[in-house]
Each structure stands twice: as C-alpha cells, then as structure tokens.
Amino acid sequence: MPSRRTVLAATAGVTSALAIGAAAHADDKKEGRKDDSRDDRKLRSLISRMTLEEKVGQLFVMRVYGHSATAPDQADIDANLQEIGVRTAAEMIAKYRVGGIIYFTWAHNTRDPHQIADLSNGIQRASLEQPRGLPVLVSTDQEHGIVCRVGEPATLFPGAMAMGAGGSRGDARALGRIAGQELRAIGIRQNYSPVADVNVNPANPVIGVRSFGADPHKAAALVASEVAGYQGAGVAATAKHFPGHGDTAVDSHYGFPVITHSRELWEKLDAVPFRAAVRAGIDSIMTAHIQFPALDASGDPATLSHPILTGILREELGYDGVVVTDSLGMQGVRTKYGDDRVPVLALKAGVDQLLNPPDLATAWNAVLKAVQDGELTESRLDESILRILKLKARLRLFEDPYAGRKGVDRTVGTAAHLAAADRIAERTTTLLVNKAGLLPLSRRTHRKILVVGADPASPSGTTGPPTGVLASALTELGFTATALPTGTAPSAATVAAAVAAAQDADAVVVGTYNVTAGSSQRTLVEQLAATGRPVVAIAIRNPYDVAHLPSASAHLASYSWTDVELRAAARVVAGRAAPRGKLPVPVQRADDPAKVLYPIGYGLTY
C-alpha cells in the first residue's frame, strides 16, 4: 500500500481540501448533516479550478472490467475496449476523469478481499496522479440476501425481507455496521443499500425479498437502522429506488413499469421509508426507472423527472444529499429517450451521479455538449459536484483514500462477524405450518433425511447449491441427510425419482422456489406427502409458496437461499434454534387472493 507521504504527494493539487474530511466527519457526529460553510468554501475553490471536462467526469459512476486497475486479464481488456474504448480502469480515469466506479461480480472486480483492496488502491492511485486529481468514490450493490457483489470470505447477512421477519432494529444496525466495516476495509465507500421500497405486490419480479416488507412503518425503522449502521462505519448508504418500486409486476431492467398509486397512497405507503432515510441523514438516494403518473403526468421515468426529484425529493422532503440514478443501461430509462439525452435530462431533473451508462463516450460527450450549447449551465454541474465532493470529504477520502492489507485481515469475515450473521439469521426464520408438532425433527425418529428441491443459481459468493447446503447443515447437526436436486420445474421422471428415494428416508425436506398454481413443484410436494413420509417445505425465496402447498407437514420461510439463511433454517428444523421470525408481508390464499391466509406478523414457534 502507498505510504501517507505518497498520498499527500499525489494530491498536491488539492492540498487545500485535505483537511476537510476530518472536520466534516466530526461535525457530522456532533451536528448531523449540518453544513460547514468554511469547508464548503474550500470545496468550491477546488471546483473553480477544475476544467469543464473534469467536472463532467466527476458526475459519472462507471463499470470497468478486471481485477486490477492497470493489469487486468486479456479478456477483460478486450471487454473494456469493446464497451468503453479503453484497456483498463486507469485508462478510463485518465480519459474521462470519472468520479466513481461501481464493482460487479460479472465484471471480475470482486475475486477476494485482498484483490478488491488492491483494485481500489489502484483506482485511487490512478485518479490522484492526474492533474488536480480527486479521490474516486467506489461503490457496489451489497444488499445481502439475493443481491451481493462481494462474497465469501466476507460476511454475508440475511436479505431485507428476512430482516423484516426478524423485525429487530438492533440487528439491522449491526448488519450495517459490520457490513460497512468490511466494505470500507476493501476500499468500497458507497453501498447501494438499503432497499426502501415497500413490497405490496406478491408478483413483483424485481424487488420482492429485497424489500423489508409490506408495512411502511416497520420498513422505515429498519431502513433508518441500517443507514445508521453503514454510515457509522464510514460507508455511504443509499436508499433505493425513489419514489418507490414496491408495487409493480414489471422489471425495470427489461421494461418500463407504471406505478398507479394515488398521491395520497404514495404519502402513506411508498414515501414513509424514504422520509425516514432522509431524517436519518442518508448520504445518497437512488432513483427508480418507473413511471408514476400521480407524481408526474409527463410519462417520463422518475429518474428524468424534475417534479419528482427536485419538486418532491429536494423541496418537499428537504433532501440535499447525493442523488444517484439507477443504472442507465436499464430498459426502463431508455424506453422514451436515446442514450445521449438520458444523462442530460437526469441532470436537469436534479440528479447528481450518473450511474453506469451503456456507452460512456456517448453519455459523457452529451453532457459536455449540453453545457457548451447552454442547455445545462456550468453552475448546475457545480451544484452536483459540490454534493459529491462533500460526500467524499465526509467519508475521509481526501485524507485516507487507500485500503490497508492489515485492515482487510483484521476486519473481513472475522469469526465474530460470521457468528453475528448466524445469530441474526436465526432470528429471521419463520415457521408457518407445523402439523401435529412435527418440528423440531428428532434424530431418534427422523434420522435419515432426504433433501430435494430447487437449486437456483447461488447468490454471489455463497457456496450453494441450496439442497447441498441444507443436507450438509443437517448432517452436521446429527442427521444423515442426502441431497437430490429436483429443480424449479421437476419433470414427471424427476418427481418419480424423488418419490422412490423418499422410501428410504424418515423425513423429506423440500426447498421450494416461487411456487405458482401450475408449478410442478406442487406435484412434487403432493406426491412426496402421499408416501406417508413427513414433508418439511422451506420457501427459499418468496414466502408465498405456503399457500400452494397444503399437503406439507411443516412449512418454513427463509426468504433467500444464501448459506447463512439456509443454515439457520436447518438449525430451526433440528431444534437447535427456535423459530422467531414473523411474516413481514401478508400471504394470500391460493384459491381466493382477495383473502389473507397468513397476515403480517404471523409466525409460530416452539
């Protein structure tokens, strides 16, 4: 890692700003988000010395392929050349002077903690060595649960809906604190979490278990708690997706969702967690690529809506932190306008950071041209750059931009952190059905267990597959468990093989995944139950599966298929932990969705 002397030398062009971070950080602790006019003056002076091109670059947060800032693998060099026109992260920074970089697993940025720290350091070095070089705000989507970019050996926690089932503000704050400490240790200073959407649509294909639940006030409390945890650890939290993506049956990655809530309903439902995030001093808020006619009748996505981002978020909610777009490569924001117009319209709407445009050259040049042509003023750019630099100062990036090797070893995936994640997970597992007191299973009467079910692609960085994780966990708990994957749509032959295997078992555990009325997963559970063997169903994603599986002897919801949640479910099955989770969403009846089968707050224990 570079010495502090190297850091100071590299940042010689911005020495007037080096002292800002500590002062701003101390002020935050004493006085919340109160502005320090002296520090503002220093940052404004810094901005005044930037070229227009440097200012444009500071607004962008961009992906880049590779595990190294200067020496990625050849395949990643090729991908960078094809998509960005540069070979490496360092070349991208030199050419476009981007203010932020986002890490993805699929971009090969996140192999292991030391590599991630080295990549972060290489990015910072490349930026700080530029004329008037500024530190880079490195970000990622580390929501936990089904969306993570940094995997094992980092500590992975239950996802938001599981945390909603646990209902503990203390656990949510601990999640943010521990996860934030680990992210900071590897050089990631902005996390696109927590999800503040209130999931009231069981058919929501993109939010679902990424939400804390359907109760806006309970979701708000957990959002605020995670924000406090993350930001107390020195990582910027990001509430998403404003003004609320919780009631849609369309995925904005691939389509353009329309939210039909009235303004009154928005105030009572969608707005509540975002208001809590603002009160908690949230550092950044991410926009949604959704149409919300009650808030803006223009037909524009919220990301490009001045009435929503400036009129409501800035003026009504009083938010003056950083506003970041959701990825500009998503279809929801590209439906109405071209890729050259989207970044310009986003800035005119009130956005500060432009995240992951599909073509950086097109987007960057469009913003530059908009200023040169007078469509955007340079002072408008300065407003956003000031917010971005104030955030970098609060995160101490001006004085301490690098990650240290010892910090990685001391912090990432420690035994204490992993144990905390396990304890938190145990408090989220929800027991919905337990006929004749079947659970917990006894090793004396149900020693041989067959584990069948869906094996969806493992969430980033977990070992998987789910059937294997459950079988291993149950075996470690004293059972003899065998895994037989049957998939999300088992064929008749697969069902028959599972039924045959069940003849030699004392009980069957089935991992179910988003069961629908016509799903052959229902057939699997029904035919296994017909053998007379007790069947324990574990919903490994959406908790609504229970409505379609009345033949199961017991039913649990784990809300995700990450290792930490599956191991916790296994401990509940084995009686090593009591089920403590309560449904954070209602489950409707399968035969009459207008009626509730299990309400919010339902959950059995023993």
Side-chain angles (χ1 to χ4, degrees):
M1 186 191 75
S3 67
R4 181 166 174 78
R5 179 174 296 177
T6 305
V7 175
L8 294 175
T11 56
V14 293
T15 48
S16 63
L18 282 171
I20 294 171
H25 187 70
D27 284 348
D28 278 353
K29 284 191 172 181
K30 290 184 294 185
E31 304 176 18
R33 291 182 57 98
K34 182 178 178 182
D35 290 336
D36 187 305
S37 58
R38 180 189 59 192
D39 290 342
D40 273 13
R41 286 196 300 272
K42 290 180 180 179
L43 290 174
R44 290 182 192 278
S45 175
L46 191 160
I47 293 168
S48 72
R49 298 195 296 275
M50 295 169 66
T51 67
L52 176 57
E53 290 77 8
E54 290 164 0
K55 290 181 178 181
V56 171
Q58 196 64 204
L59 304 172
F60 283 93
V61 181
M62 187 60 184
R63 70 189 178 280
V64 66
Y65 290 86
H67 71 285
S68 164
T70 55
D73 294 341
Q74 186 61 48
D76 293 322
I77 291 173
D78 294 342
N80 285 328
L81 286 169
Q82 181 177 352
E83 294 187 19
I84 313 172
V86 298
R87 293 165 49 85
T88 66
E91 288 184 13
M92 181 176 72
I93 289 166
K95 183 172 182 178
Y96 293 106
R97 301 301 293 270
V98 294
I101 287 179
I102 179 173
Y103 288 170
F104 290 106
T105 311
W106 51 260
H108 310 139
N109 303 139
T110 56
R111 291 181 179 176
D112 64 74
H114 283 294
Q115 167 269 318
I116 300 170
D118 290 344
L119 172 61
S120 301
N121 289 340
I123 285 168
Q124 299 296 356
R125 192 179 306 112
S127 186
L128 291 168
E129 288 174 353
Q130 296 297 317
R132 296 167 301 281
L134 294 169
V136 174
L137 189 52
V138 177
S139 61
T140 199
D141 293 284
Q142 191 79 350
E143 295 177 12
H144 295 274
I146 69 171
V147 176
C148 277
R149 311 302 186 202
V150 180
E152 290 184 329
T155 305
L156 298 175
F157 285 90
M161 192 170 285
M163 297 300 293
S168 168
R169 298 183 189 187
D171 284 352
R173 187 166 187 145
L175 182 159
R177 175 178 54 80
I178 292 170
Q181 289 170 352
E182 297 198 6
L183 289 173
R184 186 180 175 91
I186 56 178
I188 296 172
R189 303 290 187 96
Q190 184 178 24
N191 188 20
Y192 298 134
S193 189
V195 172
D197 303 314
V198 182
N199 198 83
V200 294
N201 188 340
N204 194 324
V206 63
I207 304 301
V209 294
R210 297 167 61 197
S211 161
F212 287 109
D215 183 317
H217 297 285
K218 291 178 179 177
L222 295 174
V223 165
S225 297
E226 279 200 15
V227 169
Y230 277 116
Q231 295 185 181
V235 168
T238 308
K240 62 187 188 186
H241 309 79
F242 189 83
H245 208 316
D247 188 7
T248 173
V250 175
D251 185 340
S252 52
H253 290 85
Y254 310 108
F256 189 15
V258 180
I259 306 294
T260 58
H261 293 182
S262 66
R263 174 63 191 251
E264 182 182 25
L265 181 57
W266 178 80
E267 291 280 2
K268 293 179 178 178
L269 186 74
D270 307 279
V272 176
F274 288 103
R275 289 186 186 276
V278 172
R279 286 195 299 270
I282 186 87
D283 279 328
S284 50
I285 290 178
M286 180 179 284
T287 68
H289 303 326
I290 57 173
Q291 191 180 154
F292 210 128
L295 306 183
D296 180 357
S298 70
D300 286 345
T303 297
L304 310 183
S305 169
H306 189 274
I308 291 174
L309 298 187
T310 297
I312 296 176
L313 180 57
R314 296 279 191 215
E315 295 171 1
E316 292 184 26
L317 271 62
Y319 178 66
D320 194 37
V322 170
V323 174
V324 56
T325 70
D326 205 343
S327 170
L328 296 182
M330 293 166 60
Q331 192 59 38
V333 79
R334 302 173 74 188
T335 298
K336 193 173 177 183
Y337 301 100
D339 292 337
D340 58 335
R341 294 300 299 154
V342 165
V344 176
L345 294 173
L347 290 169
K348 292 176 78 171
V351 157
D352 302 305
Q353 288 184 307
L354 300 162
L355 176 62
N356 199 29
D359 187 301
L360 179 59
T362 296
W364 190 93
N365 283 301
V367 174
L368 181 67
K369 185 175 186 298
V371 178
Q372 293 170 337
D373 292 350
E375 183 180 5
L376 284 170
T377 64
E378 196 164 346
S379 63
R380 168 65 192 89
L381 267 58
D382 293 351
E383 289 176 23
S384 285
I385 295 166
L386 180 60
R387 290 192 188 99
I388 293 165
L389 295 186
K390 285 169 69 175
L391 177 54
K392 291 182 179 182
R394 270 201 306 280
L395 298 173
R396 300 170 60 89
L397 275 166
F398 284 101
E399 59 178 4
D400 186 21
Y402 292 107
R405 179 163 288 270
K406 289 182 180 177
V408 175
D409 292 334
R410 260 194 323 263
T411 309
V412 180
T414 64
H417 287 179
L418 295 171
D422 281 334
R423 288 194 301 272
I424 289 171
E426 282 183 356
R427 294 190 277 269
T428 69
T429 306
T430 308
L431 178 62
L432 299 173
V433 175
N434 193 19
K435 296 176 184 177
L438 173 67
L439 297 182
L441 290 181
S442 166
R443 285 176 293 171
R444 292 189 303 274
T445 57
H446 298 94
R447 178 174 290 274
K448 295 181 70 174
I449 298 178
L450 174 67
V451 179
V452 302
D455 278 338
S458 184
S460 299
T462 60
T463 55
T467 54
V469 172
L470 284 168
S472 295
L474 289 166
T475 297
E476 289 172 9
L477 292 166
F479 296 89
T480 303
T482 304
L484 178 63
T486 51
T488 56
S491 66
T494 300
V495 171
V499 168
Q503 306 299 327
D504 194 38
D506 299 318
V508 182
V509 171
V510 185
T512 66
Y513 184 93
N514 294 3
V515 178
T516 60
S519 172
S520 57
Q521 292 181 71
R522 290 184 65 189
T523 306
L524 172 69
V525 172
E526 288 167 359
Q527 293 198 18
L528 286 169
T531 66
R533 304 300 190 273
V535 175
V536 179
I538 303 176
I540 64 173
R541 186 164 178 166
N542 290 336
Y544 313 111
D545 293 3
V546 63
H548 298 284
L549 303 172
S551 60
S553 305
H555 198 107
L556 295 156
S558 70
Y559 307 97
S560 182
W561 61 105
T562 52
D563 297 356
V564 69
E565 288 162 289
L566 295 176
R567 289 196 306 263
R571 290 195 295 276
V572 169
V573 169
R576 299 295 182 89
R580 294 172 58 181
K582 305 294 182 184
L583 276 177
V585 292
V587 174
Q588 282 84 16
R589 285 174 49 167
D591 59 346
D592 186 356
K595 295 181 179 178
V596 172
L597 179 63
Y598 299 112
I600 291 176
Y602 182 85
L604 306 174
T605 191
Y606 42 79

